Amino acid sequence: MSKVPIRLTIYYDFLSLWCFNTLLRLKQIEQKWKVRMEWKSYMLLPEQKEQAREAFHLASQSWSAIIDEALAGELKPWPLDREVPNWSLPALAASKVAASFGERQFSDFQYSVMKGYFQEHLDISSSVTLVQLAERSGMDRKAFENQMNQPQWQDLVREEHQQAEAAGIHNVPMVVVNDEQALAGALKIEDYEDAFLKVR
Amino acid sequence: MLFSNPEKLLEDQKRLSEQNPVVLMGRGHSGTRVLSWICTELGVNLGTSASLATGDADDQKFTQEIKKITTNNIGTEMLRPSDLQRFQKAVSGYYGRLNHPQTLWGWKFPETYLIPSYIAETFPKARYIHLVRDGRDIAFKQHLTDDPKRKLGKKILESQNALGLPHHLQAAVSWAFQVDNFDNFRGSVSGDQVLDVLFEDICTRPYEIVEELCDFLKLSITKRCDSYIKEQINVKKVAQYKENDPRLVQEVENRIRPTLTRYHYLS
């Protein structure tokens, strides 16, 4: 197998369960294929908007059927008394902060946010929650908080979102392989591997 | 010869066979417009444009060819090799004129509902969103597939011995023929390639249906789609047949009972 890494540009949003599946699947084959992943923001909720809890609760009932085996049975419907995330921007911006701490911190934080949202029903549009998740991922609370207050991270997310839209990307997940092939939707592992074979 | 270069033909066939377009299948007036815009707002490139309210593919070169192929193939069960090449050339040109999209792509053009085998032969991995609306509603609407003055309508009605019937029965028979035709085809593709959607469900519980659609496409609901549902879905479109003479409705039910029953419109 070639030693040249395969470059993946992955457009995603923490609010998408299909993006969580994509993350879980790509992590499984990351080493085998020497994949280098670049995660780019796409906001499914680009503006702050209250979500109807009842409807959200109903929609979340299908989560357990959608999520991959590794977490099957662990996703329960969203409790009616819990705040529902109302904006994509804060978590994506926080992930940019995490990336500034290092690759491992970013990777841990990303998983932690996805799991926190879908499994623990945390409001990941709240900065308080995001700081707690950063701490859980081994980052210094104070330093993370300080960075979170810098506008550059939100600007970066908005910029990536606009670039995606300009490139004709209007939904996530979207995985672009070596700038050559774009794979829309959460594909099966074997479909990703087929695509990797083609660029090798 | 449609493709003057056989090597190019093979190359094109191979390239197409690797694609998995999203094809909206449904008879005209079944709500395919709404479904087309829902998919478009989910980020699927269906080659339509805002100026085209029908949500059809806005590429006349492509749609004109599809019309011809469809008319040629009414009442035949076998694929015609010449029409298959013609279909592949048409769809290859369409894909090219869309600028070879790398995101999800496909089309909505109701005539393709009548030639699913040509799609499956060309795109073994195609995904079909199959939309059905109550045939009793359809019976009281006009469409080219039940118009004996149009080539395609005449062919369908001829094949069903329905040329002498009053229009509401012609429309009903044409509807049942098209739905049955797709149901006969569906066994030739994998079950997970087809999503069945009832128009009435889109009107009465749009969010659940869009969620099913997102699950099928493995995508997330977008803000644009959310807005479209809020602004454009009209629940009053359900069971419009009730505004017609009940005796005519009864005639329609008697004529197409098996298909209506299969889709639970009648018990």
Side-chain angles (χ1 to χ4, degrees), chain B residues 47-88:
Chain B
T48 191
S49 54
S51 59
L52 207 61
T54 60
D56 283 357
D58 189 9
D59 178 337
Q60 292 201 358
K61 256 188 172 174
F62 172 58
T63 55
Q64 290 302 328
E65 276 298 281
I66 295 294
K67 277 184 191 173
K68 287 175 194 160
I69 296 164
T70 304
T71 308
N72 273 349
N73 282 272
I74 297 300
T76 58
E77 284 180 17
M78 304 289 285
L79 287 179
R80 293 165 190 254
S82 57
D83 279 338
L84 180 61
Q85 279 195 26
R86 194 172 187 174
F87 176 79
Q88 289 173 340

Side-chain angles (χ1 to χ4, degrees), chain A residues 178-193:
Chain A
N178 276 0
D179 295 329
E180 287 172 26
Q181 200 183 356
L183 309 168
L187 305 190
K188 293 179 193 152
I189 285 181
E190 51 268 37
D191 292 331
Y192 285 122
E193 294 192 311

Side-chain angles (χ1 to χ4, degrees), chain B residues 188-223:
Chain B
S188 63
V189 292
S190 156
D192 60 11
Q193 285 178 263
V194 182
L195 175 73
D196 287 295
V197 177
L198 295 184
F199 172 71
E200 293 74 14
D201 289 341
I202 294 184
C203 295
T204 55
R205 44 187 194 97
Y207 284 98
E208 284 170 61
I209 298 306
V210 169
E211 243 180 65
E212 283 176 25
L213 194 54
C214 288
D215 290 355
F216 180 66
L217 299 173
K218 299 178 178 14
L219 288 173
S220 319
I221 187 162
T222 59
K223 191 170 168 280

Side-chain angles (χ1 to χ4, degrees), chain B:
Chain B
M1 193 185 268
L2 287 162
F3 286 87
S4 51
N5 179 347
E7 275 172 24
K8 182 174 183 318
L9 167 64
L10 285 174
E11 199 182 291
D12 267 22
Q13 283 174 338
K14 187 172 177 295
R15 194 168 46 82
L16 292 173
S17 72
E18 286 167 0
Q19 296 281 330
N20 55 354
V22 177
V23 190
L24 273 49
M25 301 296 264
R27 181 208 180 272
H29 292 318
S30 292
T32 49
R33 175 184 63 85
V34 171
L35 188 61
S36 173
W37 285 111
I38 287 176
C39 288
T40 299
E41 300 301 2
L42 281 175
V44 183
N45 185 347
L46 293 179
T48 191
S49 54
S51 59
L52 207 61
T54 60
D56 283 357
D58 189 9
D59 178 337
Q60 292 201 358
K61 256 188 172 174
F62 172 58
T63 55
Q64 290 302 328
E65 276 298 281
I66 295 294
K67 277 184 191 173
K68 287 175 194 160
I69 296 164
T70 304
T71 308
N72 273 349
N73 282 272
I74 297 300
T76 58
E77 284 180 17
M78 304 289 285
L79 287 179
R80 293 165 190 254
S82 57
D83 279 338
L84 180 61
Q85 279 195 26
R86 194 172 187 174
F87 176 79
Q88 289 173 340
K89 190 178 178 196
V91 83
S92 177
Y94 168 65
Y95 181 64
R97 288 187 290 277
L98 284 181
N99 292 324
H100 305 93
Q102 290 283 297
T103 55
L104 282 183
W105 72 282
W107 69 89
K108 172 245 161 177
F109 189 59
E111 276 82 344
T112 40
Y113 191 32
L114 286 152
I115 49 167
S117 304
Y118 284 89
I119 303 170
E121 187 65 24
T122 306
F123 301 106
K125 294 192 272 188
R127 283 172 284 182
Y128 306 87
I129 303 173
H130 179 220
L131 181 67
V132 173
R133 180 176 185 175
D134 192 332
R136 293 170 296 185
D137 279 356
I138 299 288
F140 299 99
K141 295 178 184 298
Q142 309 274 341
H143 189 246
L144 66 98
T145 55
D146 50 51
D147 181 352
K149 292 193 193 92
R150 308 287 286 267
K151 240 183 186 174
L152 183 58
K154 190 178 174 195
K155 274 213 150 186
I156 292 174
L157 296 174
E158 248 171 7
S159 77
Q160 301 303 298
N161 293 321
L163 273 173
L165 295 176
H167 178 263
H168 63 290
L169 293 182
Q170 286 181 328
V173 166
S174 173
W175 171 82
F177 166 75
Q178 294 179 60
V179 176
D180 293 350
N181 182 60
F182 186 81
D183 282 339
N184 288 333
F185 154 80
R186 71 166 70 230
S188 63
V189 292
S190 156
D192 60 11
Q193 285 178 263
V194 182
L195 175 73
D196 287 295
V197 177
L198 295 184
F199 172 71
E200 293 74 14
D201 289 341
I202 294 184
C203 295
T204 55
R205 44 187 194 97
Y207 284 98
E208 284 170 61
I209 298 306
V210 169
E211 243 180 65
E212 283 176 25
L213 194 54
C214 288
D215 290 355
F216 180 66
L217 299 173
K218 299 178 178 14
L219 288 173
S220 319
I221 187 162
T222 59
K223 191 170 168 280
R224 285 196 189 100
C225 184
D226 189 68
S227 307
Y228 181 82
I229 294 170
K230 277 201 187 91
E231 290 158 19
Q232 303 291 335
I233 304 290
N234 182 357
V235 77
K236 288 183 186 152
K237 299 240 173 180
V238 172
Q240 288 179 326
Y241 70 89
K242 290 180 178 168
E243 293 160 14
N244 293 282
D245 183 342
R247 285 169 304 173
L248 300 183
V249 174
Q250 185 66 56
E251 284 177 18
V252 168
E253 289 178 352
N254 291 342
R255 193 86 194 188
I256 56 170
R257 184 170 297 276
T259 314
L260 286 173
T261 308
R262 199 165 68 247
Y263 280 87
H264 306 291
Y265 290 117
L266 286 177
S267 50

